[in-house]
Amino acid sequence: MVLGTGSPPASGLLLNLAISENRHDFFVDCHGRWFFLEPETWHKNSKKICMPPPICCTHTSSNFQDLEAEKAIMGSIVYCIHHKDGCKWSDELRKLKAHLNTCKHDAVPCSNKCGAMIPRVLMEDHLKYTCAQRRARCDFCAKEFTGHTLEVTVAALIKRIAIECQTILTVLQWERMKHTGTCGYEPLYCENKCGMKVQRRHLSQHKLGECAKRLVACRYCNKEFVFDTLGAHHAKCGRFPVACPHRCETAVLPREDLEVHLKDHCTTHLLSCTFKDAGCRFKGNRFSLDKHLEESAKMHLSLMCSVVTKQQHQITSLKSAISKLSLNYTGTLIWKITDYSAKMSEAKAKEGMELVSPPFYTSQYGYKLQASVFLNGNGTGEGSHISIYIKILPGEYDALLRWPFSHSVSFTIFDQTVVAEKACNIVESFIPDPTWKNFQRPSREPDSLGFGFPRFVSHEMVKKRHFVKDNTMFIRVKVDPSKIVAV
């Protein structure tokens, strides 16, 4: 559009004119302001031109000399003057005024009569937040506060509040701040951290009677628990009343007394006989059990004798198993003789006193041997020497072994001097003679003496050297299978 004389309009509207290109130019008069419309602007593919405000357009009908042109213009399709603000209305020019009476983007006076012209679409926010005549309500109790003269005192109140708290608050915010801390309708989280939100006025009642995290006393044991754990406590509370599982005359009793009741007092509880483990299968109530014990004493004694016999066999078997685990299968015995002084005195006082070692084997399935010592001597060494011997005992695998016994045997008494390099051990050894009776397969009655050295070490030598230390003597008996006599 090309404007002629007069000032251009403050805002315009879009027209879709159905006028041919060969029409004459014409002017539009609007309250003395004339606008010149050139036909060159009415292009077939661009029929939208800018026109004066709609209020002015209502006066054009009396000024148009060409009624046909007026009719064409008023019937042209136009867009709302607020189309840039988002209004999508589009219709004939003559209907524009009626549309503006309802257009939500058109400005109307504030309904609170504050004097402001507000677009309909913004009226709700204006009345709520910016209108000088608005009234505020508490978000929780809906109580109305502040008055008609609120805006007059805002500046003075804000200045005072800013000085006191260094924060610029509106009077409305300040009032709400004071009210929020005391409003009975304000929802607050429970202080017991149960997760519930309760209005301030009901909070005390909630904490006393409704809160799942409140402390309550168990009605049976009087101990305090959190309410939502009380059920779990009742499941194991010692004072919780329970019924006898055998439905005796005792209706209910504390849980902690149930075991004693079943054991000593319940008249319907079936009890097993005291000798149940011995094999008695009797079951009955308390009175019949007492009668059974009186009448079945002989039977119970017989059962117990059977149990004792069985246990004795088991003990013997266990002892045998333990002794096998502790046996020496290496063919070498280190014999520790303790309390030497007392045993020597006893040997001198008692003729023929013999000390015997634990049995040992040449291998797991080998010969079974035992060493013996006469501390005060035997035979030619009696009273002056320590005598030592070895004898063959009957073994479990003798039937599989070669006889006569042919391994070499050595005896060693250890010198327990402090300096190991200066130790002087005494060693005696022998190789069995196949013709000797001592090394034939033993009978169930083994050789009472065996074979060895009656004059192994003299008492005088024992005193000179450190063969006895801390009242203890060590003797080694070693069987060497590598030194075998050819038979």
Side-chain angles (χ1 to χ4, degrees):
M1 171 182 179
V2 179
L3 299 179
T5 60
S7 301
S11 60
L13 55 86
L14 298 179
L15 299 170
N16 190 1
L17 301 179
I19 302 176
S20 62
E21 293 184 6
N22 59 357
R23 286 191 61 82
H24 298 288
D25 302 338
F26 63 92
F27 293 88
V28 176
D29 175 19
C30 185
H31 296 280
R33 298 165 62 194
W34 293 86
F35 301 94
F36 177 69
L37 306 181
E38 293 181 349
E40 287 78 11
T41 63
W42 308 341
H43 195 271
K44 287 182 180 180
N45 298 324
S46 181
K47 302 291 180 143
K48 299 176 182 179
I49 63 173
C50 200
M51 287 295 291
I55 264 181
C56 298
C57 292
T58 59
H59 301 280
T60 57
S61 59
S62 61
N63 296 307
F64 283 127
Q65 296 179 356
D66 191 336
L67 295 178
E68 186 178 353
E70 177 186 1
K71 182 178 180 182
I73 292 175
M74 298 305 293
S76 298
I77 301 301
V78 297
Y79 295 89
C80 178
I81 61 172
H82 303 294
H83 72 281
K84 292 183 179 180
D85 297 324
C87 183
K88 304 298 183 182
W89 181 88
S90 176
D91 208 336
E92 294 180 349
L93 177 60
R94 64 174 56 89
K95 297 179 181 180
L96 178 61
K97 183 176 180 181
H99 162 69
L100 292 176
N101 288 332
T102 59
C103 179
K104 64 180 182 179
H105 295 282
D106 199 40
V108 295
C110 172
S111 59
N112 277 349
K113 300 179 182 181
C114 70
M117 295 292 290
I118 307 298
R120 289 187 181 90
V121 72
L122 302 177
M123 184 61 74
E124 184 178 354
D125 287 346
H126 168 72
L127 294 175
K128 190 173 181 180
Y129 299 112
T130 61
C131 179
Q133 301 299 327
R134 71 187 182 281
R135 300 186 66 81
R137 292 180 181 273
C138 174
D139 293 337
F140 311 117
C141 66
K143 179 181 177 181
E144 215 176 63
F145 59 95
T146 72
H148 179 71
T149 59
L150 175 64
E151 297 298 337
V152 179
T153 58
V154 165
L157 290 174
I158 288 179
K159 184 176 180 181
R160 187 181 68 183
I161 293 171
I163 293 173
E164 293 176 355
C165 64
Q166 302 299 316
T167 304
I168 300 177
L169 300 172
T170 64
V171 174
L172 181 59
Q173 290 173 323
W174 183 61
E175 291 288 345
R176 282 180 178 175
M177 181 177 64
K178 291 196 303 181
H179 179 70
T180 300
T182 58
C183 179
Y185 292 84
E186 181 182 2
L188 301 173
Y189 279 108
C190 174
E191 297 172 359
N192 292 336
K193 298 182 179 180
C194 68
M196 293 292 294
K197 244 185 174 183
V198 185
Q199 291 181 355
R200 180 182 274 108
R201 57 182 179 147
H202 298 316
L203 190 58
S204 298
Q205 178 184 349
H206 166 77
K207 289 192 292 184
L208 289 175
E210 301 171 0
C211 179
K213 299 296 183 182
R214 69 187 186 275
L215 288 178
V216 292
C218 173
R219 58 184 295 188
Y220 307 110
C221 65
N222 295 322
K223 296 180 181 179
E224 283 195 337
F225 297 90
V226 176
F227 178 77
D228 59 2
T229 64
L230 192 60
H233 164 69
H234 284 164
K236 57 183 181 181
C237 178
R239 301 303 301 169
F240 189 83
V242 294
C244 174
H246 302 293
R247 300 181 180 179
C248 66
E249 65 274 7
T250 304
V252 292
L253 69 162
R255 180 183 280 114
E256 61 188 13
D257 297 338
L258 181 61
E259 185 177 354
V260 176
H261 168 75
L262 294 176
K263 184 178 179 181
D264 300 329
H265 306 294
C266 183
T267 57
T268 59
H269 180 37
L270 293 180
L271 300 173
S272 298
C273 177
T274 310
F275 296 91
K276 176 183 67 174
D277 294 334
C280 184
R281 298 182 179 180
F282 176 84
K283 277 190 176 182
N285 59 34
R286 191 171 310 282
F287 302 112
S288 60
L289 178 61
D290 293 339
K291 184 178 179 181
H292 165 74
L293 291 174
E294 291 177 3
E295 296 176 350
S296 306
K298 290 183 178 180
M299 182 187 71
H300 292 157
L301 180 60
S302 176
L303 290 172
M304 290 305 299
C305 289
S306 299
V307 170
V308 170
T309 303
K310 184 178 179 181
Q311 288 178 343
Q312 284 178 340
H313 289 308
Q314 290 175 340
I315 291 170
T316 303
S317 177
L318 290 172
K319 283 182 176 179
S320 175
I322 292 172
S323 63
K324 287 182 179 180
L325 290 174
S326 60
L327 288 176
N328 182 349
Y329 294 102
T330 64
T332 300
L333 171 69
I334 302 295
W335 188 7
K336 181 181 181 181
I337 300 174
T338 59
D339 202 11
Y340 174 82
S341 299
K343 290 176 181 177
M344 175 59 82
S345 300
E346 186 178 357
K348 289 179 179 180
K350 185 178 180 181
E351 184 179 355
M353 178 184 167
E354 180 184 18
L355 301 178
V356 294
S357 73
F360 67 102
Y361 291 78
T362 57
S363 64
Q364 186 172 357
Y365 307 105
Y367 300 96
K368 184 178 182 181
L369 307 171
Q370 187 179 54
S372 64
V373 165
F374 293 84
L375 294 180
N376 196 37
N378 173 267
T380 59
E382 185 175 357
S384 59
H385 288 74
I386 294 176
S387 303
I388 189 165
Y389 302 91
I390 189 169
K391 51 188 173 183
I392 300 175
L393 303 178
E396 293 87 342
Y397 305 98
D398 287 350
L400 305 177
L401 301 174
R402 292 183 61 183
W403 298 101
F405 177 80
S406 56
H407 299 338
S408 66
V409 180
S410 65
F411 301 98
T412 304
I413 182 169
F414 290 101
D415 185 358
Q416 303 178 58
T417 183
V418 178
V419 183
E421 290 77 8
K422 296 182 178 180
C424 183
N425 302 332
I426 295 178
V427 181
E428 293 285 357
S429 63
F430 68 89
I431 297 176
D433 187 335
T435 61
W436 293 345
K437 182 181 177 181
N438 308 74
F439 301 108
Q440 302 302 317
R441 180 177 175 179
S443 63
R444 289 300 164 187
E445 295 296 331
D447 183 14
S448 59
L449 184 60
F451 187 86
F453 300 94
R455 299 166 65 89
F456 178 52
V457 60
S458 66
H459 293 163
E460 184 179 354
M461 181 63 71
V462 172
K463 294 177 181 178
K464 287 181 179 180
R465 306 295 300 181
H466 295 85
F467 294 114
V468 178
K469 186 176 182 181
D470 297 330
N471 208 24
T472 303
M473 176 187 289
F474 289 95
I475 296 175
R476 180 177 67 191
V477 182
K478 184 176 181 181
V479 177
D480 191 351
S482 63
K483 298 178 181 179
I484 302 176
V485 177
V487 179

